[in-house]
Amino acid sequence: MLNHSTAENLQALTKGAPCICFLYASPNELFSDSFADYQKSVLIATLTFWRGSAAPQGGTSGSGGYRCFRGTEFPSPQEYKSFDELADINRDSFGQQSGDILEAIKSFTASPTNDIDAEHFQSLILVMVAQESGGAGNVVGDGGLAHGLLQVQLQNPEETPVTCDPGSCTKDQILDMLQQGVYGHSDFGSAEPPGIAFYLATNSPGASLRFYNTGSLTDSNDYSVTPNLKSTQSYVSDIANRLLGVAPEGFPSKQWLKEECGFQPAE
């Protein structure tokens, strides 16, 4: 029977899930010195335990450590792995120019928001590169509209996308691709579409990432909601997991994300 001294056992028993638990005290315990302040034999305590850096309603966990972040859940900057740890986790997947990519990311020394400091901002950029392109500068997506390390969509016909084949990218090309994704495009007037820094200036990291992925925030109470299935419903959850240190090879299949998290795969 559970009593006041078995909180650790309770945590193990609930496997990290929130619970309302009834703690019973025996008559002997009730009149002991340690229970002098209690006046009832049944104590009702709301105890919430979280495994690791779990978010309040994050549920299912995959074999690679992937967690379903639902609603507006997103880890706090204090929960992010350090930049160096994330660099080690993603270095191999970034390929032979990983050093140049990481060096360029470190050049972004000013955060656009007080919510995260410069190092956490760099960590966010790093995992966005991992999500968007895997570190390959020649990736083209969205029917030919998205280009480069951060899959920037160019809407001005006068602009030329910055792309390069892995292993042949110059440092300037790498930096240009990152700047387009972080700050948007300003060579032809206003930045359109704006970069992640623009969204972070007025929104939470989770909401900003939904803006970046789809260009809009369809539901301010659920970052997985997208205007159509051409967008990635799991995008914000994916970035959250990468920030917590889930390696590229630890990501689950689209079918798992659909069945366990409720995220519909993009068309």
Side-chain angles (χ1 to χ4, degrees):
M1 183 175 292
L2 296 174
N3 58 40
H4 70 290
S5 64
T6 57
E8 292 182 357
N9 292 335
L10 178 61
Q11 181 177 5
L13 186 65
T14 60
K15 297 182 179 180
C19 68
I20 296 178
C21 305
F22 294 85
L23 308 183
Y24 291 88
S26 67
N28 289 336
E29 289 176 312
L30 181 62
F31 294 103
S32 67
D33 291 341
S34 63
F35 265 64
D37 294 332
Y38 294 105
Q39 298 179 2
K40 296 181 180 180
S41 61
V42 179
L43 307 178
I44 302 177
T46 303
L47 302 176
T48 304
F49 294 99
W50 296 107
R51 182 172 53 227
S53 56
Q57 298 174 8
T60 311
S61 177
S63 59
Y66 187 100
R67 305 197 61 229
C68 305
F69 284 82
R70 301 183 177 92
T72 59
E73 297 167 349
F74 199 79
S76 67
Q78 291 71 33
E79 295 175 284
Y80 300 0
K81 292 292 186 182
S82 70
F83 181 88
D84 289 341
E85 289 175 306
L86 293 172
D88 288 340
I89 290 169
N90 292 280
R91 192 183 307 276
D92 288 344
S93 65
F94 281 5
Q96 58 184 309
Q97 289 198 270
S98 60
D100 292 335
I101 295 172
L102 294 170
E103 179 184 346
I105 294 173
K106 290 285 283 184
S107 71
F108 293 87
T109 57
S111 173
T113 172
N114 292 328
D115 292 338
I116 55 177
D117 60 22
E119 181 178 347
H120 292 128
F121 182 47
Q122 293 165 356
S123 295
L124 182 61
I125 298 171
L126 191 161
V127 298
M128 287 180 67
V129 170
Q131 177 77 15
E132 295 285 354
S133 66
N138 63 345
V139 173
V140 178
D142 292 338
L145 297 176
H147 302 267
L149 293 175
L150 285 172
Q151 288 296 277
V152 173
Q153 292 196 13
L154 303 179
Q155 298 183 359
N156 190 317
E158 297 182 55
E159 289 187 275
T160 302
V162 180
T163 61
C164 53
D165 293 328
S168 65
C169 300
T170 67
K171 291 186 177 182
D172 285 342
Q173 287 175 316
I174 291 172
L175 185 59
D176 285 346
M177 283 187 280
L178 293 177
Q179 287 179 331
Q180 284 188 335
V182 173
Y183 296 125
H185 323 292
S186 58
D187 290 344
F188 297 91
S190 61
E192 184 64 38
I196 188 64
F198 173 84
Y199 297 121
L200 284 169
T202 54
N203 297 279
S204 68
S208 298
L209 289 164
R210 174 46 60 205
F211 270 115
Y212 187 86
N213 180 240
T214 59
S216 62
L217 183 62
T218 303
D219 186 343
S220 60
N221 294 313
D222 189 347
Y223 299 151
S224 70
V225 177
T226 59
N228 52 59
L229 288 180
K230 293 182 179 181
S231 301
T232 306
Q233 290 189 354
S234 66
Y235 188 83
V236 178
S237 183
D238 290 349
I239 295 292
N241 277 276
R242 292 184 189 278
L243 286 168
L244 296 180
V246 175
E249 61 271 18
F251 270 64
S253 67
K254 292 181 180 179
Q255 186 64 27
W256 188 95
L257 289 171
K258 179 180 179 180
E259 293 177 352
E260 301 296 337
C261 304
F263 301 143
Q264 296 293 327
E267 294 178 345

